[in-house]
Amino acid sequence: MAGELHWGYEGETGPDNWGSLSPDYAPCADGRAQSPIDIRNASELELAAIHFDYGETPNVVTNTGHGIQVDVEGDSHILYNGIRYDLLQFHFHAPSEHTIDGQAAAMEVHFVHQDPNSGMLAVVGILLEEAEVDNEAYAPVFSNLPREAGRSVSTDDGLALGGLLPQTLSFYTYQGSLTTPPCSEIVRWLLLDTPVSLSAEQIAAYTAIYANNARPVQPLGDRDLLRASE
């Protein structure tokens, strides 16, 4: 984006050096609640469910220069622990940023929500794995991926957001950060433990543009990692 300090996923501007690129990016280096993490040894607890209220949004697919993103219009939101978080956008990483027992999935999608009162974020993450057939719910996005940074592609049809979710909504949760600069530690992570499938062709369409836009996992430290069943 114009005016944004350049950062990337390789070399001198890659994740190992994000914290030194700007004082604003200091949490990337010295934060103690950074994301993503490796998911293992989660504590099982009875937790509040995530209530999804997703509608439709125009299908406008944007290449941000760091990944592929769809900005959401309308009042789609989640309710979690009595707080409403409005859905702002969703975007993709390849391979997955979160890992399960050290294993990455082919991709990961992040649905970014914000509490309009506090500004805090709740990000729902879903691992995306390879299957033999196209995922029709995601097809409007993966059939219209702009290759050039800063370019958007729009279609006439709306995108049904509820269809992008798995049927089972059990999840892992922990307190963390943005996985891109400035790595602000303002995120309640809600990682669904049921993956969604994409075809090899859909994954290849993305990785032809962004083969690696995933931050490596960060130490969990003394944070709680919890797992809630549906």
Side-chain angles (χ1 to χ4, degrees), residues 3 9 18 20 22 25 34 47 62 70 80 96 100 103-104 106 112 117 123 132 138 182 184 202-203 222:
Y9 288 95
W18 285 349
S20 62
S22 166
Y25 296 175
Q34 290 292 290
L47 301 175
T62 299
V70 176
Y80 181 68
S96 70
I100 307 292
Q103 298 297 310
V112 181
N117 296 313
V123 180
E132 295 183 358
Y138 280 87
S184 307
Q202 288 175 315
I203 293 169
D222 60 2

Side-chain angles (χ1 to χ4, degrees), residues 1 4 62-69 91 146 148-151 210:
M1 298 174 64
E4 182 180 280
T62 299
N63 184 327
T64 66
H66 300 120
I68 298 296
Q69 177 171 306
H91 62 268
E148 300 173 4
R151 183 166 175 255
Y210 289 104

